[in-house]
Amino acid sequence: MSQIKVETAKVGWPGLQPWSIDELHAIEFDFDRIGIAQATSRRLLAGRLGGQDCLVVSAAASPDAWDWLQSSPSDAFRVGVVPDADFEAALARHGSSMKAMDSVQVDDPTATSSEPPVEELSLAGLAAERNPVVRVIGSTVFDAFRSGASDIHVESNPAGARIQYRLDGVLVPGGRIDGREITEQAISRIKVMASLDVGERRIPQDGRFRLRLEGRDVDFRVSVMPSAHGEDAVLRILDRRALADEHAGLTLERLGFVGHELAVLRELVSRPHGMLLATGPTGSGKTTTLYAALSEVNTGRQKIITIEDPVEYQLAGVLQVPVNERTGLTFARGLRAILRHDPDTLLVGEIRDQETAQIAVQAALTGHVVLSSIHANTVFDVLARFSHMGVDTYNLTAALNGVVAQRLIRLSCPRCAEPVPIGEPYRARYPVLAERDHYLRGRGCGQCRGTGYRGRMAIAEVLRIDDSIREGILLRESPRVLRARAVAAGMATLEDRAAQLVAADRTTLEELDRVADAG
């Protein structure tokens, strides 16, 4: 990370040149350079004016703002100071015209309305907010949302707390909270938002709330956990409009399935009965792949029913049933009821227990198409999972059409990617890299928050359960032998797909190694 360099020598904030009102209005602010959380707490705004990077400093900026700037990633800036009122007005102009977050409406599960009213969070409100705890939590939420983060981690330590965002599946720095007292108040603020017990600090707590951000209703799932230095909190961000945009026109090709894998997967989905399983770790895109598979058969001529926890996206023409453990509607109980509802195709969000596994297998054996996910690392680990849940191996092999094992692989940032040599061991191991002398890896920039990666795509290995594989399973052959059979039949492994992306300048050898270790 390069150090910020300024054109104006600084001797206290009054030593900076002031920005004129015309200049301030002409600046195009860039919150990738300095995020919302730091902009509002440090009273600093980064942007561009006339093609040059610039920095707007409020006269009320915190004393340590300059030290923080010196350790932050960026290039040369032209720096100027403005009165605090002008700073707030500038921040408000570049936010949405929404009211400040003085209180948060909790999403009450007992409420009769399915869409309760929500409070709105805006840059204008954050700029005017005088409570530092409300400001730091609000600005952190806003910054994470704009960054496309899936989770916010608030991790307590002896000096206060570290804030991290999960971007593209990896934790990246998001800021910090200085001081134990302020950290405790920040955790309490999160608890109030999620309707949790503020006074209880000895046991884990879970809750949820909803905010309106830039015109979107965004759900937050909250987990608070006691730690050695107080409490830690994780906020999962569920932007339903983003999910709707992601799934609009969702196809297997858009997810990254190509060639042989695409043809095999389409053939498996189109069979009149049997089970197709998606497997992989949490957050590997299994549900999205199952939705895309459903889109292949959702022609309106079949009865399609799903049971999910939760229902993440509304599918047109599909009956979707949400699991509700509190009322006794489990996967197993819901699945039994669904089978009496004359379905052709079923999607079971996840097979978690023996009862659900038994019912799903029986449904596949009695003429239904069953799509589901299960937690396992590889396509062959699925067999051990079902065996552990007491499912008869013969019934499983008779019911199972195929297994998709997948990962989400990070893509090199197109803005800062630069060529890096490929070592001889990689060229020798992967034929697709034999003629390559370099790959592209991001060096880190404001657009990718210094990670070198921006965005992800799915890669998968698709196993068709043919007679050869069935025979090997019934003979209890080792996973190594079964994998050799599958590769001989044309299955491309996760490593193969990752290597192809490296050769296409889409990802890095580091991501290839990560996938190879995970697979």
Side-chain angles (χ1 to χ4, degrees), residues 184 187-188 190-192 195-206 223-227 230-232:
E184 291 178 0
I187 297 293
S188 295
I190 293 171
K191 287 182 176 181
V192 169
S195 215
L196 302 179
D197 185 351
V198 176
E200 179 55 75
R201 301 182 179 182
R202 301 163 299 175
I203 61 174
Q205 297 188 68
D206 298 302
S223 172
V224 178
M225 186 79 66
S227 71
E231 291 178 292
D232 285 16

Side-chain angles (χ1 to χ4, degrees), residues 147 255 306 334 352 420 427 445 469 478:
S147 300
L255 295 183
T306 76
R352 300 174 178 172
V420 178
R427 289 200 294 268
C445 64
I469 297 295
S478 68

Side-chain angles (χ1 to χ4, degrees), residues 426-443:
Y426 286 99
R427 289 200 294 268
R429 182 175 180 181
Y430 301 103
V432 72
L433 300 178
E435 304 300 321
R436 299 275 301 180
D437 59 3
H438 74 274
Y439 68 101
L440 293 184
R441 181 175 65 195
R443 67 180 181 276

Side-chain angles (χ1 to χ4, degrees), residues 100-370:
M101 184 182 68
D102 295 323
S103 61
V104 178
Q105 175 68 40
V106 176
D107 185 3
D108 183 0
T110 64
T112 56
S113 172
S114 60
E115 295 293 337
V118 295
E119 293 294 329
E120 297 173 341
L121 178 63
S122 69
L123 287 179
L126 291 172
E129 178 58 60
R130 295 306 179 190
N131 185 319
V133 174
V134 173
R135 189 168 64 235
V136 72
I137 296 301
S139 59
T140 296
V141 166
F142 206 108
D143 192 27
F145 171 75
R146 279 205 166 176
S147 300
S150 61
D151 301 85
I152 304 169
H153 290 242
V154 182
E155 303 170 347
S156 298
N157 57 52
R162 176 177 64 171
I163 298 174
Q164 297 196 94
Y165 303 151
R166 188 172 294 281
L167 289 171
D168 296 329
V170 177
L171 291 177
V172 300
R176 71 174 191 263
I177 302 175
D178 296 322
R180 292 287 295 274
E181 183 178 353
I182 297 296
T183 297
E184 291 178 0
Q185 293 175 15
I187 297 293
S188 295
R189 171 66 178 167
I190 293 171
K191 287 182 176 181
V192 169
M193 295 165 72
S195 215
L196 302 179
D197 185 351
V198 176
E200 179 55 75
R201 301 182 179 182
R202 301 163 299 175
I203 61 174
Q205 297 188 68
D206 298 302
R208 57 187 296 183
F209 63 90
R210 182 177 295 172
L211 292 175
R212 180 159 294 153
L213 297 165
E214 299 188 328
R216 301 185 178 195
D217 287 352
V218 181
D219 291 321
F220 294 82
R221 305 288 173 86
V222 178
S223 172
V224 178
M225 186 79 66
S227 71
H229 303 293
E231 291 178 292
D232 285 16
V234 174
L235 289 72
R236 169 150 291 186
I237 304 171
L238 299 172
D239 183 1
R240 297 189 183 278
R241 183 183 295 181
L243 283 172
D245 293 343
E246 177 184 336
H247 289 90
L250 183 64
T251 63
L252 293 170
E253 292 101 319
R254 281 186 57 190
L255 295 183
F257 291 94
V258 295
H260 180 72
E261 292 87 359
L262 178 62
V264 172
L265 189 51
R266 280 184 166 155
E267 185 263 324
L268 294 175
V269 172
S270 63
R271 290 187 182 181
H273 56 79
M275 178 184 290
L276 175 64
L277 295 173
T279 189
T282 300
S284 59
K286 298 185 295 295
T287 300
T288 303
T289 296
L290 293 177
Y291 280 157
L294 273 187
S295 72
E296 298 282 327
V297 297
N298 187 14
T299 62
R301 295 191 295 270
Q302 293 184 339
K303 181 72 171 183
I304 301 176
I305 306 178
T306 76
I307 180 164
E308 307 169 62
D309 182 23
V311 174
E312 294 186 6
Y313 171 68
Q314 301 294 324
L315 298 170
V318 176
L319 172 59
Q320 295 175 270
V321 181
V323 166
N324 191 333
E325 299 279 356
R326 288 175 299 178
T327 62
L329 182 53
T330 61
F331 274 113
R333 185 174 181 180
L335 188 52
R336 282 196 300 268
I338 286 171
L339 290 174
R340 298 191 293 268
H341 212 68
D342 191 28
D344 296 295
T345 300
L346 311 174
L347 187 152
V348 183
E350 183 182 348
I351 294 178
R352 300 174 178 172
D353 53 64
Q354 178 179 1
E355 189 177 8
T356 305
Q358 297 278 12
I359 299 171
V361 169
Q362 288 301 316
L365 289 172
T366 54
H368 302 88
V369 175
V370 179

Side-chain angles (χ1 to χ4, degrees), residues 261 459-461 483 487 490-498 500:
E261 292 87 359
I459 60 171
E461 54 187 27
R483 177 172 289 274
V487 171
M491 185 186 81
T493 66
L494 289 168
E495 286 183 81
D496 294 335
R497 287 289 295 119
Q500 291 169 13

Side-chain angles (χ1 to χ4, degrees), residues 506-519:
R506 301 291 305 281
T507 191
T508 65
L509 291 178
E510 291 79 4
E511 283 293 282
L512 169 58
D513 288 338
R514 183 176 67 86
V515 168
D517 290 341

Side-chain angles (χ1 to χ4, degrees), residues 41-105:
S41 63
R42 306 280 183 183
R43 316 300 278 178
L44 305 166
L45 287 170
R48 291 182 66 81
L49 178 64
Q52 182 182 10
D53 292 332
C54 59
L55 187 70
V56 177
V57 179
S58 168
S62 58
D64 67 335
W66 189 258
D67 293 334
W68 177 81
L69 279 173
Q70 295 301 310
S71 63
S72 300
S74 192
D75 301 317
F77 278 82
R78 176 189 171 194
V79 185
V81 67
V82 297
D84 195 51
D86 290 346
F87 178 90
E88 292 184 1
L91 188 59
R93 278 198 308 274
H94 291 270
S96 303
S97 56
M98 310 176 200
K99 58 187 177 181
M101 184 182 68
D102 295 323
S103 61
V104 178
Q105 175 68 40

